[in-house]
Amino acid sequence: MKRFKRHGHESQRDRLKHELFQFTKTVEHGFPHQPSALGYSPSLQLMAIGTRSGAIKLYGAPGVEFMGLHDENAAVTQVFFMPHQVELVTLLDDNSLHMWTLRGHKGLSELLEIGRFMLTGPPGAPPSVTRVTAVLAHSSGELLLLGTEGGHVFVVEVPGFREMEERNISLDQVTSCVPDDYVGRRNLEHVEALQENPVNSNQVVIGYGRGLMVVWDLERHCAIRHIPATQQLESMWWTEDGGSILSSHSDGSYCSWSLTGEDDGEEEEKSDIPYGNFPCKAITKIVQLPTAAGPPFLLFSGGMPRASYGDRHCVTVIHSKTQVAFDFTSRIIDFFVVTDGPDHTGEPSALVVLVEEELVVIDLQTEGWPVIETPYLVPLHSSAITCSHHVSAIPLKLWERIAAAGSLQNTHYSKKPWPITGGQNLAPDPPQRDLLLTGHEDGTVRFWDASGVCLSPLYKLSTAPVFHADADPNDNMSQSAEGEWPPFRKVGCFDPYSDDPRLGIQKIHLCKYSGYLTVAGTAGQVLMLELNDEAAEQTVEAKVMDLLQGQEGFRWKGHTQLDVREEPVMFPPGFQPFTVVQCQPPAVVTALALHSEWKLVAFGTSHGFGIFDYLQKNKVLIKCTLNPSDQLAMEGPLSRVKSIKKSLRQSFRRIRRSRVSLRKHHISNNTKIQEANARLEAELAEMELAPVQRKIEARSSDDSFTGLVRTLYFADTFLSDSSHNTPSLWAGTNGGGVFAYILSVPPVERRADEPVTAQPAKEIQLMHRAPVVGIVALDGHGVPLPEPLETAHDLARSPEMHGSHHLLVVSEEQFKVFTLPKVSSKTKLKLTAVDGSRVRRVGVAWFVSSKAEDYSEVGLVFLTNQGDVQVLSLPHIKMQVRYPCIRREDVSGIASCVFTKQGQGFYLMSPSEFERFSVSARCLVEPRCLLEAPLHPVSPSQRRPQTEEASSTNSNARDTEDAESAARHVMEHALLNDEKVLQEIQKSLEGDQTSFTENNVKSAVA
Amino acid sequence: MNRSQRVASSRTLSSVEVKSKFGAEFRRFSLDRSKPGRFDEFYGLLQHVHRIPNVELLVAYADVHGDLLPINNDDNYLRAVKSASPLLRLFLQRKEEADYSTFGTDSLTRKKNTVLSAVLLRPDPNKKKPPVIISLPKDFRPVSSIIDVDILPETHRRVRLYKHGQEKPLGFYIRDGSSVRVTPQGLEKVPGIFISRLVPGGLAESTGLLAVNDEVLEVNGIEVAGKSLDQVTDMMIANSHNLIITVKPANQRNNIVRGGVASGSSGRSSDSGASYHGYSAHAAAASGPTHIIQNFPVGELESDEDDEDLVIEVGGEAEGVGRSASDHSVPSLPRYEPHLNLRSAGSSGSAFSANANGSLRGSSGSLNNANTSSATPSPDRAKERRSLEEEGTVITL
């Protein structure tokens, strides 16, 4: 009987767990890592981006996003939408073609792969015969023309991928009618480009690498014309009226060929090397678009003078007398132009350029061609992200003030709306306003609106003006002299170069109730900022706090502290610094806590921690935690280790880059690539095979960095006796130590006059000596204490002060609950001893039941070094759920994870992308979007049934929008980034002694 | 050979003869072999039969090898009774005038024990140079043991390393490797974790129970199959205070052979270099399956010695959360110690903690004292131990 009861109870708990917890990867924010292909469908108003890791992402109107991942881990080299349809075709690096479609499902659209195809040549033919180099999605929507390395054009019927051998255009057929006097007739080389005649869909032009272009009639199966260009061909463009063909070449020239004349009376209408005189680089793509009145727009990428500007990444736009060479921050992947009008044949309205690190959209209709701010695909990594901080449920007032400050920073953007408008965003409005703050290497803090599917920039704070930086901020190349040629204009914001690494932001804490912000950085600087709606000129007061407290025998070998400007500095509206605390030695700030009610900020480094009273601008406490024998802590921010890692990473990048450039010229250099690949693989294999061994040794108090402060926590709890609660500060160290201080904070009316004091109260040394990564005080009901000022805004969060409080100490290896005020161990949960995983990130979250809104539970969410997300119940610390989330090799992803108060989380899946996930069954932010199949402009009979079906399902199912969200296609980049290898190498390089501490510190610093 | 047969035959007897010598006096009495009772009862009994109720005694017995070994807790008492063959010969000394040097060294570091014990039992100052300095009996603590022999396959060995309270490093490295498993489908190559290196002078090496290329199968009862090298490393470190490793020794010749009458010789036969294994096998076989061979369910490990977090209150008073701070000054394993010396001190301590699994907790030791003793054992003890190691090697040679 008992047994049954127990079973019943458990299943009830299980059911409750299902209602509370559910793991979903919901949306990817930011810019895709290593994009490799771009496609656009004017009829769908949808843009597609393929990446080197085989992902395909579709973007339409803000909030409309679709994602797909190829099973093959190969780069997407080309993306084509089938004209006027919801299908798209991708070509991968492994020569496979894939067909994707957007299918309606429960009122939402889903991106699904519906077919794949590999071109098979005649038996015995070399692989180059079937190596696809150019693809043309024919406007009938039924044919794909595939140009190959061997020079043949294969015709394939879609969606079934049926090869139509009788329609193939073989090289022999073409060469047989090439004029005898054409110099390149012996070897036409590969098919470089295929274009369809915009006015006659039976005509296509085939461009061969050697320069020859052949206009081919698909119906009559014969060549109509030959255009005997002799320069290596890069791209072709058939003008809107079908009257001429533009070709661009590897020497930086382009030609216009008129087709209006007599047959084969081809003539070179116009030839130009736009940035000529000296040798130029290739023009890789050329586009010409007519305007209703006046001259056409001519756009092309590349073509820069090789010697002087060969390293620039430019797209040139020429319209009438205006010519601008947009100078981008990284390599150009591709570009397209959005046109106005019902049939998308009207005026060019916006230029969309995909470069390696960002997407830039330029408004071509407004004077001066300003940039349009992107609502998605923002380059999070415009300077490398060094830390992040999430704040849930921002009060409207603060939100508006931050947004207002931010809008003043964005005046240079175009007022035009976002030009890509496909699909409908059906996601409900976010229930609350959430902020994600990212700290960057260049000393900026960016505020992102993380409430919904689109992570959009709200405000940017720069801490650099507080300090004398090494470099003058005005020495960049912004001075574009009048009459400079080429007429460069810098666009984009990706700027990975930091003037001074000491400016890097390491920890952020924002109080959403008071608007106080504290930001701490690499050189031990802790800035206190407050929100001001007006610009103000003020002097920032600097206070030095010596964390060594005069201990002898230490010499800091790291970087020097930053020089604070002594003169008044003009700060724009927004967060303005008023005090800066400088830790001495100026080591990385590893822990930070702000209590806006007590007006105290606590900070810690590898040497100790301190409390600063930012109202009176006074030191309250300094505690040195440094182990006297720990010399490594004086080495600076892992200078030696880091440089090894850095140089390795750089060399990897170099290898990779050389591979990329090799791949571009895949034709003749195929063998070279293979050689390079083989060499690289051999190198990698060698590195991995090197015997890796791990030292098994108990932690001791003499280990390095035991004094590094990992966590700081303010709590109003029972520390001295069980009848009086007092303000307290708790600090946890890398060596498993916990220090508790009783704070005496004067009442509000005397707060400005009387000093705040701190008394040491307790020290706990965890016997297992693992780093303490989190401290939480639980009230009489076992609920974590509220944030500072939270009770003042929400009485429901008043803590239970009757009944005994408890202290939860989270180390990397264990969770332990201690009683208060007498600290004795009550319960514990061992993690590492049982399954070998270690706690990396931890947060408290409230989980609301998906069935009953009034039922919620508080839990402890944590991420382990194995990449698993797990939830513990509070206060009983019982394991609830465990979900694999991040690959364990993805060390930087794991280190970057932050949790929200509602059980969601963010981590960097690449340097430029946040993956958003949810552990809560109720609180999900995921794209819910619908895409209507476009009406086919051609006769209805040609419309394929599938399209019809899709659209009808869409309309039928729209009633059931509220139904449970469809199981999303969850994917993760299978990209093997170099982190893993690097880590291995690093470990074996360092030897065994340092590997542990290094690991610990790496995570601590992260 | 003879010895083990004798052991086997003596088992049939239900009582143990005891011959106890104190000074020049002998006492003979007997104990129930199946119910020997606890050490403190036994200690009381000795005081009683010798009529020396208030004399602090040092109890020692001669084991089957002729070594003089101490009896100071339940475990070695039980062991002494178990191995009595058939007579248990006891030697009592007054504590204050005890000559510690008469004890045999730590058995595991000694090889040619019979010769040595012969010397030690009849101390001859001329032969013994320099005198072997041996720690107090209460300082004896287990360093390692083979456990669970009865439930493990004969090809596996479960080794417990007692890191607690000593400064000797665990001293080994592990690596990835691959091993071959027999499956219904035939032989299959699977990844495994192996011991790659032993640090000379480390705990792992000094026990002789682990060797390079031994495959690690479990850590504290949890299988390592499917876990990465880093995970296993972290598990071992997290359990480092009481590490139990189940290995499949690379050298399978020294395995314990169970069930047979005679046992220990199988490993000894060929090379003397393997006598470590020979010894351990022998010891395990001789001692019978009850006490030393224990089962280690995970729960028991949990309870063990984990709650020793040190809490320092403002006044500078230090106390262990679970256990007395004075534990650290007496670096013996807690499970063995409360029976002898700590009892009185412990009961005077302030309070029992909620989950201290019945252990005692003292309030002794000042802040500094506790800190230093927990962090680094006193230097002279370290020195002492080191010299002991040296002596050990000398003796071996």
Side-chain angles (χ1 to χ4, degrees):
Chain A
M1 195 61 211
K2 214 171 180 180
R3 207 188 175 108
F4 276 112
K5 245 184 188 165
R6 194 183 146 88
H7 181 73
H9 179 72
E10 271 180 5
S11 66
Q12 194 185 340
R13 181 67 205 160
D14 284 345
R15 199 165 58 240
L16 201 54
K17 278 188 198 170
H18 278 290
E19 289 171 15
L20 290 168
F21 312 114
Q22 175 197 325
F23 183 78
T24 6
K25 286 191 177 173
T26 50
V27 59
E28 293 166 11
H29 297 304
F31 186 78
H33 187 53
Q34 297 182 320
S36 53
L38 175 71
Y40 176 65
S41 167
S43 56
L44 297 177
Q45 288 274 316
L46 222 52
M47 168 176 67
I49 294 175
T51 73
R52 291 262 297 279
S53 50
I56 171 100
K57 300 185 172 199
L58 270 56
Y59 297 89
V64 176
E65 300 182 3
F66 302 98
M67 287 180 287
L69 185 68
H70 293 92
D71 295 337
E72 294 84 355
N73 187 14
V76 179
T77 53
Q78 297 188 46
V79 182
F80 297 94
F81 280 93
M82 295 306 292
H84 314 296
Q85 292 177 6
V86 290
E87 277 82 34
L88 65 153
V89 174
T90 54
L91 172 66
L92 300 195
D93 204 20
D94 65 356
N95 205 33
S96 62
L97 286 155
H98 300 256
M99 174 75 88
W100 297 78
T101 192
L102 287 161
R103 191 168 288 168
H105 178 75
K106 290 188 180 169
L108 302 172
S109 297
E110 282 179 348
L111 183 63
L112 294 173
E113 186 178 348
I114 54 170
R116 63 184 60 196
F117 174 69
M118 188 82 91
L119 197 59
T120 49
S128 69
V129 169
T130 53
R131 175 89 202 171
V132 179
T133 52
V135 181
L136 174 66
H138 193 255
S139 62
S140 67
E142 288 168 345
L143 293 180
L144 275 183
L145 276 72
L146 309 173
T148 63
E149 196 173 320
H152 306 281
V153 176
F154 293 84
V155 181
V156 175
E157 191 184 60
V158 284
F161 284 121
R162 192 172 66 83
E163 285 185 64
M164 302 173 76
E165 279 174 37
E166 69 286 358
R167 301 184 69 171
N168 290 351
I169 306 160
S170 75
L171 194 58
D172 303 335
Q173 289 171 301
V174 174
T175 39
S176 61
C177 51
V178 172
D180 287 340
D181 55 339
Y182 181 66
V183 286
R185 113 174 257 272
R186 286 277 168 76
N187 182 8
L188 296 179
E189 291 190 357
H190 63 284
V191 178
E192 177 67 53
L194 287 165
Q195 284 284 324
E196 185 181 325
N197 187 341
V199 294
N200 180 357
S201 63
N202 276 331
Q203 288 184 2
V204 294
V205 58
I206 307 162
Y208 293 93
R210 203 55 196 266
L212 181 75
M213 288 167 270
V214 176
V215 180
W216 188 267
D217 192 305
L218 290 174
E219 198 87 317
R220 288 188 284 152
H221 205 68
C222 63
I224 304 170
R225 274 166 183 270
H226 293 88
I227 303 172
T230 50
Q231 264 300 330
Q232 197 79 23
L233 187 72
E234 286 286 330
S235 83
M236 296 186 302
W237 180 257
W238 206 321
T239 55
E240 203 80 0
D241 56 4
S244 56
I245 290 172
L246 268 74
S247 62
S248 72
H249 302 276
S250 62
D251 63 345
S253 67
Y254 69 89
C255 304
S256 175
W257 309 85
S258 172
L259 300 174
T260 47
E262 300 303 305
D263 50 359
D264 263 32
E266 78 291 321
E267 52 189 273
E268 192 175 307
E269 199 177 65
K270 184 190 159 201
S271 177
D272 189 15
I273 302 180
Y275 298 110
N277 293 342
F278 295 106
C280 289
K281 295 191 83 172
I283 292 179
T284 51
K285 179 170 178 174
I286 188 159
V287 170
Q288 191 182 35
L289 291 164
T291 54
F297 272 95
L298 182 70
L299 307 98
F300 59 86
S301 62
M304 285 294 134
R306 187 176 291 276
S308 35
Y309 300 108
D311 56 342
R312 300 287 181 100
H313 312 285
C314 291
V315 172
T316 304
V317 182
I318 303 171
H319 179 237
S320 175
K321 294 240 178 329
T322 321
Q323 177 168 359
V324 174
F326 290 102
D327 186 3
F328 292 92
T329 53
S330 45
R331 193 169 62 85
I332 291 158
I333 308 293
D334 202 352
F335 68 91
F336 64 85
V337 179
V338 182
T339 49
D340 279 342
D343 296 333
H344 313 291
T345 50
E347 301 279 307
S349 63
L351 166 66
V352 181
V353 185
L354 178 69
V355 297
E356 206 153 45
E357 303 290 357
E358 61 188 322
L359 181 84
V360 179
V361 179
I362 292 157
D363 176 5
L364 293 177
Q365 287 181 333
T366 307
E367 192 66 27
W369 295 340
V371 172
I372 302 176
E373 192 178 6
T374 53
Y376 44 68
L377 290 170
V378 279
L380 294 168
H381 61 314
S382 51
S383 168
I385 293 178
T386 44
C387 67
S388 33
H389 175 68
H390 186 272
V391 193
S392 305
I394 303 285
L396 182 62
K397 190 88 188 6
L398 180 71
W399 185 269
E400 284 171 345
R401 290 175 70 192
I402 295 172
S407 67
L408 292 173
Q409 298 177 328
N410 293 334
T411 47
H412 57 286
Y413 285 117
S414 165
K415 303 277 182 292
K416 290 262 275 191
W418 184 244
I420 301 167
T421 56
Q424 299 170 42
N425 181 8
L426 301 178
D429 282 338
Q432 58 185 28
R433 290 165 298 273
D434 289 353
L435 262 185
L436 182 68
L437 280 70
T438 52
H440 297 261
E441 205 175 22
D442 62 355
T444 57
V445 178
R446 281 156 217 257
F447 290 61
W448 307 92
D449 175 359
S451 325
V453 174
C454 288
L455 188 76
S456 54
L458 213 55
Y459 168 73
K460 177 181 147 186
L461 162 74
S462 177
T463 62
V466 178
F467 307 101
H468 287 286
D470 282 348
D472 189 14
N474 294 324
D475 72 345
N476 57 11
M477 291 157 285
S478 58
Q479 71 284 7
S480 66
E482 272 303 304
E484 185 199 17
W485 190 259
F488 288 121
R489 206 179 104 199
K490 276 207 169 289
V491 281
C493 58
F494 176 71
D495 178 17
Y497 308 105
S498 171
D499 292 338
D500 188 344
R502 295 176 300 167
L503 289 171
I505 306 294
Q506 297 295 336
K507 294 283 164 189
I508 304 170
H509 197 122
L510 171 71
C511 172
K512 63 182 177 185
Y513 301 109
S514 62
Y516 279 105
L517 173 72
T518 175
V519 165
T522 306
Q525 75 272 32
V526 181
L527 280 86
M528 281 304 308
L529 305 101
E530 115 190 271
L531 191 54
N532 187 350
D533 300 327
E534 305 294 329
E537 188 168 20
Q538 61 196 48
T539 314
V540 179
E541 206 174 316
K543 287 270 180 185
V544 175
M545 285 176 76
D546 181 11
L547 293 174
L548 292 182
Q549 290 178 295
Q551 279 206 43
E552 296 292 314
F554 286 110
R555 205 172 63 80
W556 172 248
K557 297 174 190 128
H559 49 238
T560 56
Q561 70 176 36
L562 287 160
D563 294 332
V564 179
R565 285 181 195 272
E566 280 157 13
E567 70 278 8
V569 184
M570 189 69 190
F571 293 106
F575 285 95
Q576 296 171 348
F578 59 92
T579 301
V580 55
V581 175
Q582 294 192 289
C583 299
Q584 197 55 251
V588 173
V589 176
T590 53
L592 185 68
L594 173 72
H595 202 292
S596 44
E597 195 177 340
W598 305 334
K599 307 251 186 287
L600 297 175
V601 61
F603 49 87
T605 70
S606 48
H607 307 115
F609 59 93
I611 306 178
F612 185 76
D613 172 0
Y614 63 82
L615 185 75
Q616 294 184 22
K617 300 185 179 164
N618 254 339
K619 302 169 194 179
V620 175
L621 166 75
I622 294 176
K623 164 76 183 173
C624 180
T625 54
L626 188 63
N627 182 335
S629 57
D630 186 358
Q631 286 298 331
L632 209 56
M634 302 305 284
E635 286 269 311
L638 304 163
S639 44
R640 201 161 27 104
V641 177
K642 203 165 188 179
S643 64
I644 292 170
K645 187 176 172 177
K646 222 173 195 171
S647 64
L648 271 169
R649 183 173 292 159
Q650 274 157 3
S651 58
F652 271 107
R653 288 217 181 105
R654 217 172 299 128
I655 296 169
R656 214 194 291 143
R657 212 176 295 134
S658 66
R659 289 172 78 193
V660 176
S661 54
L662 282 172
R663 190 172 296 147
K664 184 74 183 93
H665 303 280
H666 44 74
I667 319 97
S668 51
N669 292 337
N670 223 355
T671 48
K672 259 191 202 165
I673 305 168
Q674 277 162 6
E675 271 169 32
N677 279 351
R679 205 169 50 232
L680 186 78
E681 263 149 36
E683 276 171 28
L684 290 182
E686 212 169 87
M687 286 163 181
E688 268 169 4
L689 284 178
V692 178
Q693 49 177 2
R694 296 278 183 271
K695 187 176 189 176
I696 306 300
E697 206 44 76
R699 287 196 188 81
S700 96
S701 56
D702 294 337
D703 289 346
S704 285
F705 292 108
T706 48
L708 189 144
V709 179
R710 292 291 295 268
T711 184
L712 289 162
Y713 179 67
F714 283 111
D716 187 2
T717 188
F718 301 94
L719 191 50
S720 53
D721 60 83
S722 51
S723 49
H724 300 96
N725 53 309
T726 52
S728 61
L729 175 80
W730 298 80
T733 70
N734 223 23
V738 176
F739 299 87
Y741 283 78
I742 293 178
L743 308 175
S744 69
V745 183
V748 183
E749 59 276 12
R750 281 173 288 152
R751 175 66 181 80
D753 313 316
E754 289 182 14
V756 180
T757 58
Q759 295 293 324
K762 291 193 202 302
E763 280 181 45
I764 307 170
Q765 175 58 56
L766 297 178
M767 216 49 204
H768 63 284
R769 296 192 180 280
V772 176
V773 293
I775 298 173
V776 182
L778 307 172
D779 72 6
H781 292 316
V783 175
L785 293 182
E787 288 173 47
L789 292 174
E790 189 175 355
T791 324
H793 289 78
D794 179 8
L795 281 176
R797 280 291 289 130
S798 311
E800 174 63 48
M801 297 312 276
H802 305 288
S804 58
H805 281 199
H806 289 98
L807 184 75
L808 170 63
V809 176
V810 182
S811 79
E812 282 192 0
E813 295 186 350
Q814 294 185 8
F815 302 86
K816 273 189 136 162
V817 175
F818 294 92
T819 57
L820 284 176
K822 182 121 193 85
V823 176
S824 64
S825 167
K826 195 176 173 221
T827 40
K828 66 158 181 282
L829 181 77
K830 284 184 175 183
L831 186 73
T832 314
V834 174
D835 70 357
S837 58
R838 303 163 66 88
V839 178
R840 280 281 177 263
R841 312 292 295 180
V842 65
V844 171
W846 273 262
F847 293 93
V848 183
S849 163
S850 57
K851 293 280 190 306
E853 199 169 339
D854 54 346
Y855 183 80
S856 71
E857 278 183 21
V858 61
L860 194 75
V861 198
F862 63 96
L863 178 75
T864 67
N865 66 339
Q866 301 299 312
D868 295 344
V869 172
Q870 305 183 37
V871 180
L872 287 185
S873 65
L874 286 177
H876 306 292
I877 51 171
K878 290 266 188 313
M879 199 68 84
Q880 301 297 306
V881 284
R882 173 184 191 141
Y883 304 107
C885 178
I886 311 178
R887 285 179 306 116
R888 67 173 171 223
E889 296 82 10
D890 187 0
V891 180
S892 54
I894 290 171
S896 67
C897 180
V898 285
F899 294 108
T900 79
K901 291 263 183 293
Q902 278 75 37
Q904 295 191 51
F906 298 86
Y907 70 88
L908 285 172
M909 55 189 289
S910 71
S912 57
E913 282 168 293
F914 271 117
E915 171 83 73
R916 188 181 189 126
F917 61 88
S918 176
V919 195
S920 162
R922 186 176 192 91
C923 199
L924 293 176
V925 172
E926 57 181 342
R928 297 167 65 84
C929 20
L930 177 67
L931 192 87
E932 297 280 0
L935 287 175
H936 204 288
V938 197
S939 65
S941 63
Q942 280 188 315
R943 219 162 137 191
R944 292 204 327 281
Q946 198 164 17
T947 326
E948 253 170 353
E949 194 189 293
S951 62
S952 63
T953 344
N954 286 353
S955 44
N956 290 346
R958 209 169 310 156
D959 308 341
T960 58
E961 266 165 29
D962 292 7
E964 274 189 296
S965 76
R968 278 205 54 78
H969 208 68
V970 176
M971 74 215 57
E972 194 175 347
H973 276 262
L975 168 82
L976 179 88
N977 65 30
D978 50 352
E979 278 298 339
K980 178 187 180 183
V981 182
L982 279 169
Q983 207 191 9
E984 294 288 304
I985 301 162
Q986 202 181 320
K987 278 198 171 140
S988 49
L989 277 177
E990 285 165 37
D992 318 282
Q993 185 66 52
T994 51
S995 67
F996 274 113
T997 45
E998 202 278 319
N999 269 356
N1000 292 343
V1001 171
K1002 203 196 302 167
S1003 56
V1005 169
Chain B
M1 274 292 138
N2 287 339
R3 212 183 289 138
S4 48
Q5 272 164 351
R6 216 163 58 199
V7 172
S9 68
S10 74
R11 254 182 218 146
T12 56
L13 295 172
S14 63
S15 61
V16 184
E17 277 182 64
V18 183
K19 182 179 171 190
S20 174
K21 180 171 180 270
F22 177 66
E25 288 188 55
F26 287 96
R27 295 285 187 278
R28 281 175 177 271
F29 57 98
S30 68
L31 287 171
D32 190 341
R33 188 183 288 278
S34 57
K35 273 184 267 161
R38 301 192 312 147
F39 171 71
D40 45 355
E41 292 164 9
F42 177 67
Y43 188 73
L45 180 67
L46 289 176
Q47 285 179 324
H48 176 74
V49 296
H50 282 279
R51 307 225 174 105
I52 42 171
N54 293 317
V55 177
E56 292 268 358
L57 288 174
L58 209 60
V59 187
Y61 74 103
D63 81 342
V64 286
H65 308 291
D67 296 350
L68 191 62
L69 296 175
I71 301 181
N72 50 18
N73 59 36
D74 282 2
D75 295 297
N76 49 21
Y77 167 55
L78 285 173
R79 171 105 165 79
V81 173
K82 281 275 132 41
S83 60
S85 51
L87 184 68
L88 177 63
R89 292 190 296 153
L90 295 179
F91 301 88
L92 308 186
Q93 285 178 292
R94 277 179 200 279
K95 207 161 223 177
E96 53 270 27
E97 57 199 39
D99 178 7
Y100 297 118
S101 64
T102 55
F103 286 114
T105 48
D106 184 357
S107 315
L108 292 174
T109 58
R110 185 195 46 201
K111 287 175 186 171
K112 300 199 172 117
N113 42 34
T114 41
V115 180
L116 175 71
S117 60
V119 170
L120 288 173
L121 280 174
R122 276 169 268 104
D124 185 306
N126 299 327
K127 273 189 178 177
K128 198 163 70 74
K129 43 161 187 167
V132 180
I133 304 150
I134 298 173
S135 28
L136 292 169
K138 64 178 181 192
D139 287 347
F140 276 123
R141 89 201 82 75
V143 176
S144 64
S145 52
I146 294 189
I147 56 173
D148 288 351
V149 180
D150 53 338
I151 56 166
L152 283 179
E154 286 168 7
T155 52
H156 296 178
R157 178 186 299 161
R158 188 166 289 171
V159 178
R160 184 171 187 175
L161 298 174
Y162 301 91
K163 163 69 186 162
H164 180 80
Q166 54 172 326
E167 95 291 5
K168 208 183 229 183
L170 282 171
F172 66 102
Y173 290 69
I174 56 172
R175 62 166 170 89
D176 277 318
S178 60
S179 70
V180 178
R181 289 275 143 74
V182 186
T183 64
Q185 290 79 39
L187 293 179
E188 200 183 333
K189 213 174 171 191
V190 290
I193 304 286
F194 294 83
I195 293 174
S196 62
R197 187 179 145 201
L198 297 178
V199 178
L203 186 59
E205 192 222 26
S206 66
T207 65
L209 300 179
L210 299 171
V212 171
N213 293 332
D214 284 1
E215 184 182 0
V216 178
L217 303 171
E218 289 175 7
V219 175
N220 288 54
I222 293 156
E223 280 192 41
V224 303
K227 292 196 160 60
S228 70
L229 182 63
D230 286 334
Q231 263 177 298
V232 177
T233 306
D234 286 340
M235 282 169 73
M236 287 186 174
I237 289 169
N239 287 305
S240 55
H241 54 83
N242 176 24
L243 184 59
I244 299 168
I245 313 177
T246 310
V247 292
K248 187 177 167 196
N251 178 358
Q252 289 281 336
R253 282 182 306 166
N254 299 316
N255 290 336
I256 296 158
V257 180
R258 284 197 314 269
V261 181
S263 55
S265 56
S266 63
R268 298 194 114 157
S269 52
S270 53
D271 57 337
S272 61
S275 60
Y276 279 19
H277 304 286
Y279 169 77
S280 51
H282 193 91
S287 60
T290 43
H291 177 66
I292 299 261
I293 300 164
Q294 317 168 38
N295 266 335
F296 273 91
V298 179
E300 189 187 338
L301 302 177
E302 286 281 333
S303 70
D304 213 357
E305 45 189 293
D306 198 35
D307 285 327
E308 303 173 67
D309 305 334
L310 194 68
V311 175
I312 301 162
E313 299 286 342
V314 205
E317 179 200 21
E319 52 186 63
V321 172
R323 239 166 250 283
S324 156
S326 59
D327 281 4
H328 305 292
S329 58
V330 184
S332 60
L333 194 79
R335 125 193 320 259
Y336 289 84
E337 99 216 336
H339 310 292
L340 189 59
N341 287 321
L342 284 177
R343 170 142 294 213
S344 53
S347 55
S348 69
S350 53
F352 289 88
S353 85
N355 61 340
N357 62 0
S359 70
L360 301 163
R361 168 208 218 212
S363 60
S364 57
S366 71
L367 169 82
N368 293 338
N369 222 337
N371 264 344
T372 49
S373 57
S374 67
T376 46
S378 62
D380 24 347
R381 184 166 301 115
K383 200 173 143 203
E384 192 179 51
R385 200 167 291 128
R386 214 162 291 130
S387 66
L388 178 69
E389 277 161 33
E390 281 165 20
E391 289 301 331
T393 4
V394 170
I395 290 162
T396 325
L397 294 169

